Amino acid sequence: MENREFNVVGKSIKKIDALALATGEVKFTADIEMPGMLHIAFLYSPHPHAEIVDIDTEEAKNIPGVVLVLTYRDVPDTLHTTAGQGYPEPSPYDTRILDKRVRFVGDRVAIVAAETKEIAEEALKKIKVKYRELPYNLDPEKAEESEQIPPEDAYHLLPTVYEPSKNLAASVELSFGDVEKGFSDADFVLEERFEVQYANHCAIEPHAAVAFYDERGRLNIISTTQVPFHVRRIVSRVLGIPLKNLRVIKPRIGGGFGGKQEVFLEQVVALVTYMTKRPSKVVFSRKEVFVSSRTRHPMITWYKVGAKRDTGEITSLYLKALMNAGAYGPHALTVMANAGSKVLPLFNKIKNLKFEGFSVYTNLPVGGAYRGYGATQGYFGYNVMLDMIAEKLGIDTLEFFKKWHIKKGETSPIFEELGEGKEGVSQIIRSCGLSECIEKGAKAIGWYEKRRKRIKNGDKVRGVGAAILMQGSGIPKIDMGAAYMKMNEDGSFNLHIGATDIGTGSDTILAQIAAEEIGTSVDKIIVYSSDTDFTPFDVGAYASSTTYISGGAVLKCAKKIRKEILKVAQEMLNVPEDALYIENGTVYTRDGQQKVSFQDIVIYSLYTKNQHQIQAVASHIGLESPPPFMAQFAEIEVDIRIGRIEVIKFVSAVDCGKPINPVLVEGQVEGATVNGIGYALWEDYVFDEKGRVKNASFWDYKIPSIRDIPEIEVIICETYEPTGPHGAKSVAEIGINGPIPAIANAVYDAIGIRLTKTPFTPERVLKAIKSQGIKL
Amino acid sequence: MEGLIPESLDEALEALSERKFIPIAGGTDLMVRYKRWKNLPPSFPSLPLFIGHIAELSGIEKKDDEIVIKAATLLSEIEQSPLVPSILRKAISQMAAPGIRNMGTIGGNIVNSSPAGDTLPPLYVLDAKVVLLSKNERRCLFIYDFITGPGKNQRRDDELLYEVRFKVPKHTHEMYRKVGTRKANALSKLSVAALASSRDGKIDDFRIGFGAVAPTPVRVKSIEEKVKSRHVSELSDDFINEIVNEYGEWIKPIDDQRSTALYRKTVALRLLRAFLLQLKPV
Ligand SMILES: Cc1cc2nc3c(=O)[nH]c(=O)nc-3n(C[C@H](O)[C@H](O)[C@H](O)COP(=O)(O)OP(=O)(O)OC[C@H]3O[C@@H](n4cnc5c(N)ncnc54)[C@H](O)[C@@H]3O)c2cc1C
């Protein structure tokens, strides 16, 4: 594939679902009401770790309007993972719908289904549970010697390290060269410990699911999912319902960010509907989203880096990561591994390198996929270490970045060594605009005018800092998406894709990719997505894969359709195929003598001669995972009297290949940037001594409000990725990785203090100022 | 939602004399406190008495040398009124967000009596008085006598807060600082309101109030007296340290999900010090 002039791609057309969303016509899962619908509520454990000795549901069952009360005795006890990943999942099978042992405050104890939500809530209060409390542990550094958290019979499908008795959910090791020798060859060695905290995705729409039987006796599930096909597979297995009897539909989704790559409500609504033969529905409260859905995995990282003073070469790098998986292990292996695999290839000339990662169980809320997926955790320390080395070398951080970052035509051994639950895939970088991102971003933030200036205004001091990043585009040789298209009498096309638009706009950009290739306009493409009965398979919306993987399928499919159209036109006009070209829904002969419209072509193919449906289907897997690149810059102001950091301006310069829809690219980058700033400065779970979340609401858990959002400048540094659809790479996740290190580096620039633990609250900053003293 | 909607102040007071109601003005505290599941109305423990619409309870005026603000005046109105001293306007402009300020009232903030109520430190330093009305009685109390604990005050069940009034101070120095997690819709980790006046180098007025650092807002007149009538040249480091230490005895914050006791105390005292330093000639 090569770069060329585009008609539809590269244009910021409106999202195809924009009007319906804006006018409120769209139904979200929670809006669905059906006659006879049951409402589901959960009873949650008040203990961090306990065994249910006795559970009495009689009184609850006798409340008028209560239809079903389920405990661990009443539900299938299939071990599974809630991680909505490909099969076999690289996450341990350590979860049951309900279990006799509960593992964190907020773990499920019982399920009630009733005529109304109110009645269901009332019934919860009448369930009497006797617990035997067990020793519990909230500290990931003490996991190994603590009471076993996962079930005795928990197991892993993959041949990977999994030691439930030691609370070890996963571990990986990777090394090449001789790390010790690398350190002794170094002129100086720097070491630091970094820590990032719990956080929630805070999608506007809470998790919800609906189940009902259709007139043919098939069980339908509508849910707020990023992964409808994985939902179907997992629900079928967990409940023992044949897959053919299940249909999963994804409606419009109010944001996912990874939180909806989890399958924990669908099996419950399906079970209730299966048992009662009535429609059922569950909608999480915000508190449930915080406590009992999934979170960002907290992580501690230790970096040790040695470098040469004259050349600046990093002679050795050692990274150890300890991830807190929480009480169950969805994504425990892969998020932790990504802290290495998405980070360490960036400086690809390091000859001696070692990465060790551990994921451990604690009696705290459950981690899961979250935008950035380990890279966010890994990049904090990485970029701070690079800033520290540059300072030691006495050179500008940006020059250091530009000299050593991976470039087009280069590779890193890490691509091959570290994959998702298995070995990775070797690849050569075919597009990289990172140096341009660094240069343009530096200009936009005013780097050379502001760096090391420590401009003071009263109690406030300003600084600038930077971070560089890469991510991936799908999971290579694992993620697959497929597309189906057919042509209608008026020259319009149905595009059916398994791909999952969760608010990202993927329905729109996939239509753009198709329209571009076929030579028509987007309004001729009727998109229908994410329905396991009517669309082909797709792994779903995760791992920054939709544009690259599903887009690849759509492009292939559109190419086939184009060929079919030309074939018919050839027959109609009686000319050879290469004498034809398509422009704007019409086929012309190159000599300008003849033309035939799409409409005429379909009418011909459906009714006139040699009748057939013009249609095509195509699948695509990514053979590589070309990384998007980004340079992020923060200008901040620290109020040294009260310790408050304010972000004045933030610049995100991104190389995502060819931006299919620039405004949607900007939206993704701005959203990720703000998401990252909130994580850097405020967002955190506050636990009591039993691991109970004390701030499980938007009242107490603060995400940035509109007034907290600084001036954000998004710069698109366009490249062309030859393996991507129309040159595109991914863009959705990468922007969340840089705010923490860029802000940390800016704080150092302002006041000479290295912050190593997020969030950078005024409490923490003031403490650091008091203990380290500021250098102005 | 069920409740009583009186047509006048008299009718409201009459109703209160007969049984217990929960007065509801803007409802921005109450609707949150008594909320239930999505789509369900809140559940009030007693019948609500709606007072936000009563004309007699709304308005800002200057009476002689006093500013009088009726209890159900909207926060946004006060924020914009040129009659109101800037220290109170500044505090209100940093409360909640515009939507809430268009619903919430000053009376609600006072009667709610939260340690983090943001109008309270300015009202403390303004020596504001609150006027309470019941069917047969009118009482007038200083705000610091009215508020007795977190969420606790002297209001009887049959009374409404009618108005709050204070003299406009003639100060030369002023400071208002609120430290919250973010810029909007964030309760105070702490707040400080301070006024002072110095003429010809003599400090003839000095008042400072702290919010969210103790069960009620903190204002200590005995320490203020020590600063008053000093000459600015007497504000030595030693003297400032002494004042800061004395306030340290009164500032007794707690750890909660919004902040830590240590941070609150440190920053409250740092802001006090900053204000004292402002009074010093440069
Ligand atoms: C999102 C949000 C953000 C907020 N941010 C802030 C903030 O930054 N700072 C802050 O201080 N507060 C904040 N609040 C709290 C609240 O908005 C204020 O306390 C507001 O001033 C309350 O006024 P109201 O009229 O809405 O009170 P209501 O909820 O109507 O009443 C509050 C209490 O006062 C009583 N009451 C009200 N009026 C009278 C009267 N005339 N006589 C007798 N009793 C009366 C009520 O019975 C009740 O007990 C916030 C609230 C929300 C929802």
Side-chain angles (χ1 to χ4, degrees), chain A residues 30 117-118 121 283-285 288 459-460 639-644 646 682 686 694-695 698-705 707-708 761-763 766-767 769-770, chain B residues 32 35-38 40 93-94 96 98 101 177-187 189 255-260 262-263 266-267 270-271 273-274 277:
Chain A
K117 184 92 191 180
E118 252 183 316
E121 291 282 321
V283 182
F284 259 6
S285 67
E288 287 173 302
D459 291 337
K460 295 175 177 171
D639 183 325
I640 55 176
R641 190 175 299 273
I642 66 175
R644 184 160 59 191
E646 179 162 356
W682 312 303
V686 183
K694 292 203 292 184
N695 61 337
F698 280 146
W699 183 247
D700 291 314
Y701 179 103
K702 298 295 187 196
I703 58 175
S705 73
R707 287 195 52 212
D708 301 294
T761 58
E763 287 80 3
L766 198 67
K767 210 168 139 196
I769 289 175
K770 283 173 91 181
Chain B
V32 176
K35 76 164 184 206
R36 284 188 300 169
W37 267 89
K38 188 160 93 93
L40 297 177
S93 73
Q94 293 178 47
R101 297 201 294 272
R177 288 297 292 273
K178 165 174 174 167
V179 185
T181 300
R182 61 177 181 196
K183 287 188 185 161
N185 278 339
L187 292 183
K189 291 173 191 277
D255 284 335
D256 64 12
Q257 55 264 49
R258 278 202 300 283
S259 189
T260 62
L262 178 68
Y263 178 80
T266 310
V267 172
R270 281 177 162 227
L271 292 172
R273 185 183 295 275
L277 289 172

Side-chain angles (χ1 to χ4, degrees), chain B residues 2 12 16 36 86 91 125 128 139 165 180 187 224 275 280:
Chain B
E2 239 176 89
L16 280 170
R36 284 188 300 169
S86 67
V125 300
R139 299 198 284 155
R165 50 202 309 158
L187 292 183
E224 289 176 4
F275 187 62
K280 268 176 86 152

Side-chain angles (χ1 to χ4, degrees), chain A residues 699, chain B residues 22-33 51 57 71-72 75 94-97 100 103-112 116-119 155 159-162 178 185-188:
Chain A
W699 183 247
Chain B
I22 297 182
I24 172 164
T28 61
D29 275 313
L30 290 173
M31 295 297 278
V32 176
R33 187 176 318 153
I51 56 166
L57 282 177
L75 293 168
Q94 293 178 47
M95 282 173 75
I100 299 285
M103 290 293 293
T105 66
I106 190 165
N109 198 244
I110 294 170
V111 180
N112 199 48
D118 284 329
T119 66
R155 177 186 164 260
E159 284 176 321
L160 281 183
L161 179 65
Y162 176 56
K178 165 174 174 167
N185 278 339
L187 292 183
S188 291

